[in-house]
Amino acid sequence: MSLVAEIEPLPVAIDAIEPDRQDAGCRVPLRWQGVALFVVAALLRIVAIDRLPGLNGDEAWSGVQALHWLGGQEVAWHTPTGNPLNPFAILPLVASHALFAPSVAHLRWVAVASGLLAIAVNYRLCRRAYDRETAWTTSAVLAVLPVNLVYSRFAWDASQSLLFTLPVLYAPLIAARGRSAWRWWALGGVALAAAVLVHPTNVFAAPLLVVPLIVLAWQHRTELSRRLGGAPQFAAGALGLLLFVAFAWLGRRWWVLAGSRLISPHELAAFLRLYLDLFTGLTVFRFVPGTLLDAYAPGAIGLTVGGLLLALAAAWGWLQRRPCEHRDAQVLAAWAVTLVGFYLVAGAGALQPHYERYGQGLIGVGVLVLARGWQAAIHQATRVPARLAGMVLAWTALLVFVACYLVPLDRGWGHPHRAFRTGAVEPKQAALELACRAARRNESVRPLPIVAHDWWSFWPLAYLGADRNELQIVADGAFAPAEMRATSLAVAQNAGQFAWIDTAVPRVPGDREVLIFDKAGHPIAAVIFPPAQ
């Protein structure tokens, strides 16, 4: 065994066994604070999940496919946007709907479980790749990040992106330590394929696996050349040239877009700002609850940029002091390549509010970079104040999530997308209960048709009303106007925050309209009863 091989594991071993004598007395209180932090972060993922936010059509569409699977009906194997159906979300939903009735909370349990499981997977893998302190730090950040809290409460495919990209990030780092290296490389490849199946935009996590592989091949280039000879190298070069030419020809339009982004400082600045907003939560706060944060955005961005620069500077100094930490250099390189690739291919628009789900695969590596920079910054400092400061920041992130997300949704503040608006009872659930009462009063019409006037009303009603035999959920336009108004109810959501209910349902004299309000007294939805009702 070489001298280098004997020396390299020492820093990790020293970190693992050297006690923090200076803060031994504070270790137990900090530990209990950490436990409390994770418990509260878990509770914030489930509190009022049956109505905050309101059930949107994309979530309900997945629930309807699960019910179709159970009922032997035709299942849509591609989402309305053309992505393949996510098996890691639909299969658990099928299994659980075989036991439980449809509900908003039931529909979202896969996202909650995926968010919590991502924290556990991160701790396990990061501890094997680095040490317990890094694992705890990264897991705490993932637990309190507002974007992770939000996406743990959505039944969306992108809610599983973090869980499936974490093995792609850590597998090469664990393989570099020589522990069943080939198995970890295989696990990373399988995880990348699974992540792309979860959501196609997770393909941008590929550099997390490819960059370490290139570094490994370069480090062992002499041995590989001796073992493989020149023929495999020539074949690899020819294949690479062929792929380059193919991509250059097929992606002619992309090359033009990428070139324009390279010379556009405005779009680059917007991309960096939106990337930081992804971590601070400003993006999801603007999209889901519509919280008015523009007045606070510049200060939050300034603090985030300053913290990021300090973390990167500290990480660079850490690498200079401890050159044996090749893993950090690989992570920084993979992180940079990932961001550059995402920017050139997708651009700043892919991180704007409503599209921030495309960037969920960028979160894990970003958190690891920040955590390593934070550790480097406090390495020479007194650890008790540094750890207390980190705990204060973590609790602050949870308070910001409550103040900027849960409270505005619950109180009806801000300007959210109409699909997310809610009330004391989820609006589509409340409308369905009104329809059931009408069906019980009018037994001459069975099943009683309910006309939903758009996507955001139809799929939630179709999902929640799947087990209501007395009702039939139909889309607007399924009946002739006269027939529809004589026999059915109509359910609509309003098109604006403060505007009156805007429906596409033709009115007749004698219509009765029952409005559903949020806690601020703003109308959310309407159930329109024909005169016969």
Side-chain angles (χ1 to χ4, degrees):
M1 181 181 295
S2 67
L3 181 60
V4 174
E6 294 178 0
I7 291 177
E8 282 187 348
L10 287 180
V12 176
I14 290 173
D15 289 342
I17 64 176
E18 186 179 55
D20 295 329
R21 296 183 179 88
Q22 58 179 339
D23 60 350
C26 298
R27 189 178 303 165
V28 173
L30 284 173
R31 183 180 302 168
W32 282 108
Q33 286 190 46
V35 172
L37 182 75
F38 282 105
V39 170
V40 172
L43 291 176
L44 289 179
R45 284 166 162 80
I46 61 175
V47 61
I49 197 173
D50 59 332
R51 62 183 186 89
L52 298 179
L55 181 63
N56 67 77
D58 296 336
E59 294 180 279
W61 182 89
S62 299
V64 170
Q65 304 313 310
L67 294 173
H68 283 181
W69 190 320
L70 284 173
Q73 299 170 272
E74 183 179 358
V75 177
W77 297 106
H78 288 83
T79 67
T81 57
N83 298 335
L85 195 62
N86 178 10
F88 307 104
I90 194 65
L91 292 178
L93 284 178
V94 170
S96 60
H97 279 85
L99 302 175
F100 303 102
S103 69
V104 181
H106 179 200
L107 184 61
R108 291 172 171 170
W109 78 266
V110 176
V112 175
S114 299
L116 295 175
L117 186 59
I119 300 172
V121 168
N122 176 84
Y123 182 85
R124 178 66 176 173
L125 295 180
C126 188
R127 186 172 181 181
R128 295 199 64 171
Y130 285 97
D131 49 57
R132 183 167 55 185
E133 184 176 1
T134 304
W136 192 94
T137 303
T138 54
S139 299
V141 174
L142 291 176
V144 304
L145 271 185
V147 65
N148 289 343
L149 289 166
V150 170
Y151 273 81
S152 291
R153 302 172 60 91
F154 272 146
W156 283 357
D157 291 339
S159 297
Q160 294 184 309
S161 292
L162 177 64
L163 173 61
F164 282 86
T165 53
L166 286 174
V168 182
L169 169 63
Y170 288 114
L173 302 176
I174 299 175
R177 303 188 69 174
R179 299 177 179 178
S180 303
W182 68 270
R183 294 181 181 178
W184 285 104
W185 282 111
L187 174 64
V190 172
L192 179 61
V196 173
L197 193 57
V198 166
H199 200 278
T201 54
N202 290 329
V203 71
F204 292 107
L208 305 179
L209 191 68
V210 174
V211 169
L213 187 61
I214 294 175
V215 172
L216 180 65
W218 177 258
Q219 290 175 344
H220 297 83
R221 61 188 182 280
T222 303
E223 183 179 356
L224 289 174
S225 178
R226 178 177 57 84
R227 290 188 177 184
L228 300 179
Q233 296 180 25
F234 175 79
L239 178 61
L241 179 61
L242 179 62
L243 290 175
F244 176 80
V245 172
F247 282 119
W249 174 257
L250 296 175
R252 295 187 301 277
R253 181 174 176 272
W254 173 83
W255 284 106
V256 174
L257 290 175
S260 66
R261 292 179 180 126
L262 281 174
I263 60 176
S264 175
H266 175 75
E267 184 167 2
L268 177 60
F271 175 79
L272 294 177
R273 176 180 61 82
L274 290 168
Y275 179 68
L276 296 175
D277 287 353
L278 184 67
F279 287 87
T280 60
L282 291 177
T283 304
V284 290
F285 293 158
R286 289 192 181 104
F287 172 47
V288 183
T291 310
L292 302 177
L293 295 172
D294 292 336
Y296 307 98
I301 293 171
L303 290 175
T304 306
V305 171
L308 180 62
L309 293 176
L310 287 175
L312 292 178
W316 177 254
W318 180 258
L319 291 173
Q320 295 298 312
R321 290 194 304 270
R322 299 181 65 182
C324 61
E325 287 288 345
H326 298 300
R327 294 167 298 173
D328 286 341
Q330 291 184 12
V331 169
L332 285 172
W335 175 62
V337 173
T338 299
L339 286 185
V340 170
F342 190 94
Y343 172 68
L344 293 179
V345 175
L351 292 182
Q352 290 181 353
H354 183 71
Y355 298 104
E356 74 282 340
R357 61 187 180 274
Y358 299 156
Q360 296 305 298
L362 308 177
I363 292 176
V365 63
V367 168
L368 180 59
V369 170
L370 291 175
R372 295 298 288 175
W374 171 261
Q375 288 180 272
I378 70 172
H379 184 68
Q380 301 297 333
T382 305
R383 294 199 174 189
V384 172
R387 289 176 177 173
L388 287 175
M391 195 68 66
V392 170
L393 289 175
W395 284 109
T396 301
L398 295 180
L399 290 175
V400 167
F401 172 74
V402 173
C404 296
Y405 186 84
L406 293 181
V407 173
L409 279 175
D410 184 50
R411 298 298 178 183
W413 301 339
H415 298 273
H417 188 285
R418 58 194 174 106
F420 300 128
R421 300 188 65 204
T422 188
V425 178
E426 206 286 329
K428 278 76 72 180
Q429 183 71 55
L432 195 70
E433 296 303 326
L434 289 174
C436 288
R437 295 176 192 175
R440 286 192 291 267
R441 290 195 300 266
N442 185 8
E443 296 185 358
S444 61
V445 181
R446 281 292 186 274
L448 179 66
I450 301 180
V451 180
H453 89 286
D454 65 359
W455 169 279
W456 309 109
S457 299
F458 173 75
W459 288 108
L461 290 171
Y463 170 71
L464 296 172
D467 60 344
R468 307 293 180 95
N469 295 327
E470 68 273 24
L471 303 176
Q472 178 188 6
I473 315 299
V474 296
D476 186 23
F479 295 148
E483 178 187 7
M484 179 183 71
R485 301 310 296 127
T487 61
S488 64
L489 289 76
V491 177
Q493 280 192 277
N494 67 319
Q497 173 72 11
F498 300 107
W500 194 245
I501 300 298
D502 178 21
T503 72
V505 178
R507 302 300 184 91
V508 298
D511 275 354
R512 184 167 60 92
E513 185 179 76
V514 177
L515 298 179
I516 300 171
F517 296 88
D518 60 17
K519 289 187 177 180
H522 303 138
I524 304 176
V527 180
I528 305 167
F529 297 86
Q533 299 294 332

